[in-house]
Amino acid sequence: MRLGGELMAASPEVQGLRGRHVLFAFLGFFGVIFAVNGVFLYAALSTHTGVVANEPYRKGLNYNQRIAAFQAQEQLGWAEETTLDRDAGLTLTLHKSDGTPVSGLFVAGTFGRPSTDKFDRRIVLTEVEPGRYSAKIEALEPGAWIVNLEATWIGGGDKGPVYRLRKRLWLKS
């Protein structure tokens, strides 16, 4: 091209927003959305199931009986102390409001992690001294644990649990 007798080099076209730029931005945006959703979906499916209770419908039908059992337990006035130790295992101490130990119970339940049922195990506590029940638990790792216990009178027939306990315990390293 000649301008005023001089030869000028052809200038390249000014690059602006073109169709392929919009396409790449569109695909990139939705690619990030799908990737993040995939991570969240994997995390949701591979962790806690969300099921808090086995047979929730049946437990719901017995809700009023559970409230009555809780009120009866409160009227007993028992106090508990639960400890978790790597060497001693799980220890439950029960005593009445006047300080006398509660003896003659069969104590059993489950012990596991609060976030998964993968480590759940059934345990039975034996009375090692009046009012003090203990169970040795192998391979205790540090962290949070949940214990669910039910105590019934030994030889008390089929009256059901007289004492229930659900407690989160921490084991430090």
Side-chain angles (χ1 to χ4, degrees), residues 6-35:
E6 289 182 21
L7 189 59
M8 291 196 58
S11 63
E13 283 188 36
V14 178
Q15 294 290 328
L17 186 62
R18 307 193 98 182
R20 67 175 174 251
H21 297 124
V22 173
L23 176 65
F24 292 145
F26 184 79
L27 292 176
F29 173 77
F30 281 103
V32 169
I33 296 297
F34 283 124

Side-chain angles (χ1 to χ4, degrees), residues 44-68:
L45 294 176
S46 64
T47 58
H48 183 56
T49 63
V51 176
V52 177
N54 292 334
E55 302 175 349
Y57 177 73
R58 196 177 81 194
K59 286 186 177 182
L61 291 176
N62 298 325
Y63 185 67
N64 289 335
Q65 289 85 354
R66 291 181 65 88
I67 290 174

Side-chain angles (χ1 to χ4, degrees), residues 110-128:
T110 59
F111 181 81
R113 295 285 191 180
S115 59
T116 180
D117 61 357
K118 185 171 145 182
F119 301 103
D120 284 3
R121 55 188 112 168
R122 298 272 314 145
I123 57 172
V124 175
L125 283 73
T126 56
E127 191 167 9
V128 292

Side-chain angles (χ1 to χ4, degrees), residues 85-167:
D85 184 77
R86 188 179 315 281
D87 298 323
L90 178 68
T91 303
L92 170 68
T93 306
L94 286 172
H95 57 86
K96 297 178 183 176
S97 58
D98 62 0
T100 59
V102 179
S103 189
L105 294 173
F106 174 75
V107 183
T110 59
F111 181 81
R113 295 285 191 180
S115 59
T116 180
D117 61 357
K118 185 171 145 182
F119 301 103
D120 284 3
R121 55 188 112 168
R122 298 272 314 145
I123 57 172
V124 175
L125 283 73
T126 56
E127 191 167 9
V128 292
E129 59 185 52
R132 188 166 160 251
Y133 303 85
S134 182
K136 180 73 175 155
I137 301 174
E138 301 295 327
L140 279 175
E141 296 294 324
W145 294 91
I146 290 282
V147 62
N148 289 305
L149 297 176
E150 290 187 349
T152 55
W153 293 112
I154 295 174
D158 192 25
K159 295 181 182 178
V162 67
Y163 191 82
R164 287 188 172 103
L165 173 72
R166 178 177 173 88
K167 192 169 188 177

